Amino acid sequence: MIESYINHISYYLPEKILTNEDLATEFPEWSVEKIAKKIGINERHIAGEDETSLDMGVKAANQLFEEYGVQADSIDYLLFCTQSPDYFLPTSACIIQDKLGLRKSCGALDFNLGCSGFIYGLSLAKGLVASGIAKKVLLVCGETYSKFLNKSDKGNRTIFGDAASATLISSESIGLSAKIGQFDLGTDGSGAENLIVKAGGMRQPELLNEEIKDDYGNTSSDADLFMNGPEIFNFTSLNVPKLVENNIQKNELDMDDIQHFVFHQANAYMLNHLRKKIKVEKDRFPVRMDFCGNTVSSTIQIALRTLQDENSIKSGEKILLAGFGVGYSWGAVTIELK
């Protein structure tokens, strides 16, 4: 079987920054210290009014090309993960292919996933490489959840930031040289309405209900992102520890064989809870989201690239990656740095 490796990761953050001080000014009942302590975020980047996930994805990909000397015409397949596409059709990946100057013989497709999107994207990329369909796969993730957030939704506005990332996966052991191991993936659509934007699609094209306020004082309408925080917390608490256990077993490893557990950077409170449930020490459970917030499908990549820049990960180490959220959808994979 042809092995596959994560070679390079780059990311893009929009210029506009929303700080905790800005939020505390809008919502006086929230203090800067309270936000930072509970959420673990100091600032988040917000896409410009005319800036889309597609735009940011192009910038992240070009950043990767420039940083690592990757030639655009060497890419065999483009995967684009987003839940905020420019259009219903055509697919954003086709437009990105043109903007990046990729070959016309390059495959390109979108897939719609949120916080588990990177893990699913890696599984698709590994399959493309292993089957010989592609030698080099460019996985781009881009999200602008800020455009789904009601301005009076103080809870979600403290959490989410916009970003895009680009990851190169190939059969070559170069760059980061992270060999992609075995996956565990899961789905439970019964939880769909606990994290949803109801209006805008074919099921409900138009806004049907006025704004409502929940028990925590957060305001939203059917056109805004709705998140049932307690149900999402229960979902992750129930499924993620089993996900970690299963993936370690599938890769024929023990907990002690994993040097780092890099989870989707949801928020500090949830991550700390999950860390305790799987009984992992803080120094093996990096959290890198204070400067960008929860960027949905790009959080793991941003954390990995940050750890790489810090020289906090090194050759020979094994890292378990886990994503989970909207869908419900979850996935994990263990990678090994060569």
Side-chain angles (χ1 to χ4, degrees):
M1 177 177 141
I2 302 173
E3 299 291 355
S4 55
Y5 300 84
I6 298 173
N7 299 150
H8 309 301
I9 299 172
S10 296
Y11 64 86
Y12 167 80
L13 300 175
E15 290 184 10
K16 182 180 177 182
I17 296 175
L18 179 66
T19 67
N20 290 351
E21 288 79 8
D22 296 330
L23 288 167
T25 299
E26 289 189 55
F27 306 106
E29 65 273 25
W30 284 69
S31 68
V32 173
E33 295 76 16
K34 181 179 179 180
I35 298 172
K37 182 178 180 181
K38 183 174 182 180
I39 309 299
I41 300 167
N42 296 320
E43 59 184 35
R44 62 290 293 149
H45 292 248
I46 305 299
E49 186 174 342
D50 297 324
E51 188 174 37
T52 69
S53 59
L54 188 158
D55 297 330
M56 297 194 305
V58 169
K59 291 176 181 177
N62 278 325
Q63 176 77 9
L64 185 145
F65 293 166
E66 292 169 12
E67 280 191 291
Y68 298 106
V70 176
Q71 299 300 312
D73 62 5
S74 70
I75 303 300
D76 302 304
Y77 215 108
L78 169 66
L79 299 170
F80 183 50
C81 176
T82 189
Q83 296 191 307
S84 48
D86 280 29
Y87 311 106
F88 283 126
L89 57 99
T91 179
S92 295
C94 291
I95 300 173
I96 294 175
Q97 172 273 331
D98 179 60
K99 288 183 176 294
L100 292 178
L102 306 184
R103 301 193 319 266
K104 291 183 180 178
S105 58
C106 175
L109 63 83
D110 289 2
F111 64 101
N112 180 328
L113 272 178
C115 305
S116 63
F118 179 60
I119 305 299
Y120 273 75
L122 285 180
S123 73
L124 296 174
K126 180 178 180 178
L128 289 167
V129 172
S131 64
I133 292 173
K135 292 182 179 179
K136 289 186 178 180
V137 179
L138 181 63
L139 170 58
V140 179
C141 298
E143 208 58 78
T144 55
Y145 264 31
S146 69
K147 297 181 188 293
F148 295 140
L149 301 182
N150 191 296
K151 291 191 176 183
S152 298
D153 187 350
K154 59 185 177 183
N156 284 325
R157 287 187 64 205
T158 62
I159 295 173
F160 292 106
D162 299 329
S165 61
T167 305
L168 184 66
I169 299 100
S170 80
S171 57
E172 297 181 88
S173 179
I174 59 174
L176 182 62
S177 191
K179 180 181 174 182
I180 302 173
Q182 299 300 312
F183 289 84
D184 272 273
L185 305 171
T187 309
D188 180 4
S190 68
E193 293 205 354
N194 289 323
L195 185 45
I196 191 171
V197 178
K198 286 187 177 181
M202 296 300 100
R203 177 67 59 187
Q204 185 181 321
E206 298 178 357
L207 179 66
L208 297 181
N209 300 311
E210 300 295 328
E211 290 185 342
I212 58 171
K213 185 171 289 190
D214 66 17
D215 294 339
Y216 303 94
N218 301 305
T219 304
S220 66
S221 73
D222 285 353
D224 304 315
L225 182 140
F226 167 77
M227 180 166 67
N228 186 330
E231 285 300 322
I232 297 297
F233 186 87
N234 291 338
F235 148 70
T236 57
S237 185
L238 176 65
N239 288 284
V240 175
K242 291 192 297 184
L243 173 69
V244 170
E245 181 182 353
N246 291 342
N247 191 251
I248 288 175
Q249 290 178 357
K250 184 171 284 189
N251 284 279
E252 299 181 346
L253 300 169
D254 296 318
M255 285 287 288
D256 292 340
D257 295 323
I258 306 295
Q259 281 73 43
H260 308 280
F261 294 79
V262 180
F263 281 20
H264 161 57
Q265 307 286 287
N267 63 72
Y269 182 80
M270 180 179 289
L271 288 171
N272 194 46
H273 172 76
L274 291 173
R275 181 186 65 78
K276 291 177 180 177
K277 286 213 69 169
I278 65 173
K279 299 178 181 178
V280 171
E281 305 87 345
K282 284 186 177 181
D283 60 356
R284 295 169 64 200
F285 197 90
V287 177
R288 299 292 189 276
M289 63 184 301
D290 62 301
F291 62 95
C292 62
N294 178 340
T295 56
V296 192
S297 56
S298 287
T299 66
I300 295 172
Q301 303 91 297
I302 292 174
L304 277 176
R305 175 59 192 265
T306 303
L307 292 169
Q308 184 183 15
D309 291 344
E310 296 170 353
N311 294 316
S312 297
I313 53 178
K314 57 188 178 182
S315 176
E317 292 187 329
K318 297 179 180 67
I319 305 173
L320 190 145
L321 311 178
F324 42 86
V326 57
Y328 299 138
S329 174
W330 60 95
V333 63
T334 298
I335 61 175
E336 181 178 359
L337 304 187
K338 293 299 183 179

